[in-house]
Amino acid sequence: MHTKQSQKVARRDLDEKLRLSTPDRELLENLAVACASDPSPDKTFQYAFALSKSRQESELRYAVTILDSLVKEGYEHQIDCMYGSATALYLLGEFKEARSRCEAILRSKPDSRTAAELHLASIDAIEEEEERRAKQIAIGGSAAVAVLGAAVAIGGMLLKKR
């Protein structure tokens, strides 16, 4: 079982690895040209996997679409496709879906260190989002109580003036 601290460490490490592995324009263009000039599932995978580490939302979504279609078509490297999709979803901030993809990988390949690391990072991100949401609700609730209290106090003062 993993602790909150191990989740945070896994997330920090993964975020750093992803930051350092962002593909440059030249690589993506070369892979796109290779894919278009001589299409094959392997070249499509290489292009989509590189896109899955992009920082542009449209490229990340395109990577998920391509990698998911490769899985549906029975491409031999399905686990790698699923991991690429999970990575892109994580970078898109779709942590629950990234976590779900990692869990699917880990069911068939429980020793996958990369999927386990992404899984822990996704869990940490989900928990952080939930904590942030809970704090916003608490702050919003406190503000509403304060406004209501002020309204009651003002109402009471107005009634006393009569």
Side-chain angles (χ1 to χ4, degrees):
M1 198 78 209
H2 293 281
T3 64
K4 280 196 178 289
Q5 186 58 34
S6 68
Q7 287 173 199
K8 292 202 176 307
V9 169
R11 183 174 177 199
R12 186 189 64 231
D13 292 349
L14 177 71
D15 288 347
E16 179 65 10
K17 285 179 196 172
L18 291 174
R19 189 183 64 74
L20 294 172
S21 65
T22 303
D24 62 22
R25 285 289 114 212
E26 184 179 351
L27 173 67
L28 292 176
E29 288 170 10
N30 289 342
L31 289 170
V33 167
C35 192
S37 65
D38 183 23
S40 74
D42 286 336
K43 288 180 182 176
T44 301
F45 168 75
Q46 289 171 352
Y47 175 55
F49 198 81
L51 281 177
S52 76
K53 295 180 180 178
S54 173
R55 289 295 175 258
Q56 292 189 16
E57 181 181 350
S58 60
E59 291 177 343
L60 291 168
R61 294 206 181 282
Y62 189 48
V64 172
T65 300
I66 295 170
L67 292 165
D68 287 353
S69 71
L70 284 169
V71 169
K72 286 178 187 148
E73 292 168 11
Y75 180 62
E76 66 179 305
H77 302 291
Q78 296 206 353
I79 298 292
D80 295 326
C81 290
M82 292 167 64
Y83 180 77
S85 289
T87 301
L89 290 162
Y90 177 85
L91 290 170
L92 285 165
E94 296 180 20
F95 305 119
K96 287 182 180 177
E97 186 58 30
R99 176 185 178 180
S100 174
R101 303 284 179 106
C102 290
E103 288 169 353
I105 293 168
L106 292 167
R107 277 192 292 279
S108 62
K109 195 174 176 191
D111 61 334
S112 173
R113 189 182 49 75
T114 54
E117 179 182 47
L118 182 53
H119 184 249
L120 286 177
S122 297
I123 291 170
D124 186 62
I126 292 165
E127 289 176 357
E128 186 178 287
E129 266 186 353
E130 288 170 354
E131 287 171 17
R132 189 170 36 249
R133 216 172 293 125
K135 284 179 185 173
Q136 287 173 338
I137 290 169
I139 290 168
S142 298
V145 168
V147 168
L148 184 61
V152 169
I154 291 169
M157 290 188 315
L158 291 175
L159 287 174
K160 284 182 182 178
K161 283 188 175 183
R162 290 183 172 191

